[in-house]
Amino acid sequence: MKSNSSLSEEQIRKRSFDLLPKQIAFMEIPHGADTDICLYQGGVGSGKTTAGVLLGLMLAYTFPKSRGLVGARDYTLLRDTTRVKWEELVPGRLIESWSKDPDNLRLVNGSEIRFRHLSDPGRLLSSEFNWAHVEEASQITHKLFMILLSRLRYDIPGEAGAPKPVNRLFLTGNPEEDPGWLYEVFQDPEAPENVRFIQASTRENRFLLERQPEFVRMLENQFDEQSREVYIEGKTGHAQGQRVYAGFDRQKHLDRELSYRDDLPLHLSFDFNVDFMYCLVAQQWPQGVTALLDEVVLRGGCDTNDLCRAVLGNPTVAHHHGPVEVHGDASGYSRSHRGLESDYGTIRRWLSGYSQLTIHPVSGRANPPVKERTAAVRLSLQEIGRAPVMRVHPRCKALIKSLELTRWLQGTWRKQKVADPADRRFEIDHPGDALDYFIADRESASRRRVTIHGGF
């Protein structure tokens, strides 16, 4: 089979492709693990398919007699998009044969690339590969993803001691319209270093925009605001509603080096529910910096006693011996949690070992309106100079999810009840509520100090 490729064998040997920065990051391995798992998620025309094909071609050429898989949930997509790009890019002189049934490409160096639809995962169980590329990853299941990962164990025939390639599973595609398993796996703030996530915007593809300068403007005219986030910016979407905490950005606000300071009070902010109990562990640093250090999460069949026991077992809380300030839902004074004692009565009893304990929600006081307290959080997400006011340790996984996924109920200032993608029995808005209460209490205390000072 002939190829109309504009690439030469020399370009592939030297890997001298003219690539976009995100494509380079996708192809290069920045770690020493023996398996690399990467998702290239991007807007329309952001260079996803080209990056996937070039990476597969480079691996097949670099490691003779290797075996790769190119797959998609739907064979029509595979045939009309990914395979066409392979035909366009692979130099004809590198092709030994390309059969149609089965759809196998063999290169002159003995490497084989199998093109397969992935609608029947069982068909993969007898195959082994060095690498696999999945097109439109949002269309496959997490189970299939795990099966593919388990098949990356092909032993390339050759001389003993020959260099072994890194096993690679790379996925490309548009974002999920609603957060699902891709979000859980690839946007986990504590994912292993070899599980990589790359997000690309249509606006970044200079090659496309040189040819079609009005392409992005055309898309903007076709899509509403939510769809632009997904199909232009390449961000994981949500079916309805605007983000409550729109200012939160992992690149700006996550800080893996964030650490506890023993010279400052510890803040604990609670959200009480029947099936999801939550406590945020934080400190307020000088110059207005809010440090969100850790969280305690209990799911299903738990009460405030269980939560307090878990909070006292948290390493940061257990280490602390200074002042403790408690925040949370003001209704915790009047609503008991499976007992006669109020939630704050329970908390006061469990934390009685701290000589300087302050319960901030005043008995009988209503929570600030949702619009008001979330506005305080959004203000805290802004920057002073170039430094974010709020910093979040990646271990606060439930909070990060809440900040990213909580949406307004359409046309209201009420939060949607959105299921957790990892376990749909639980909702993800509760950690955000705990943060709301803490920031609202902090802002209220600040206003009180200003008022007292002004009175003098």
Side-chain angles (χ1 to χ4, degrees), residues 244-248 253 284 288-290 292 367-383 388-391 403 408 413 415 432-447:
V244 172
Y245 307 102
F248 177 73
H253 296 104
Q284 190 62 48
V289 174
T290 301
L292 308 182
N367 291 319
V370 175
K371 181 180 178 182
E372 178 182 319
R373 65 181 195 249
T374 54
V377 174
R378 291 196 299 274
L379 186 63
S380 294
L381 289 167
Q382 295 179 4
E383 298 176 336
V389 175
M390 184 182 294
R391 300 175 192 172
L403 291 172
W408 293 117
W413 291 112
K415 295 179 181 179
D433 288 338
L435 177 61
D436 292 355
Y437 301 136
F438 167 44
I439 299 300
D441 277 337
R442 186 198 66 184
E443 293 300 310
S444 177
S446 176
R447 286 194 295 271

Side-chain angles (χ1 to χ4, degrees), residues 314-336:
N314 176 269
T316 301
V317 179
H319 178 79
H320 183 73
H321 299 288
V324 173
E325 302 186 32
V326 172
H327 313 265
D329 188 346
S331 65
Y333 273 109
S334 58
R335 175 166 58 92
S336 63

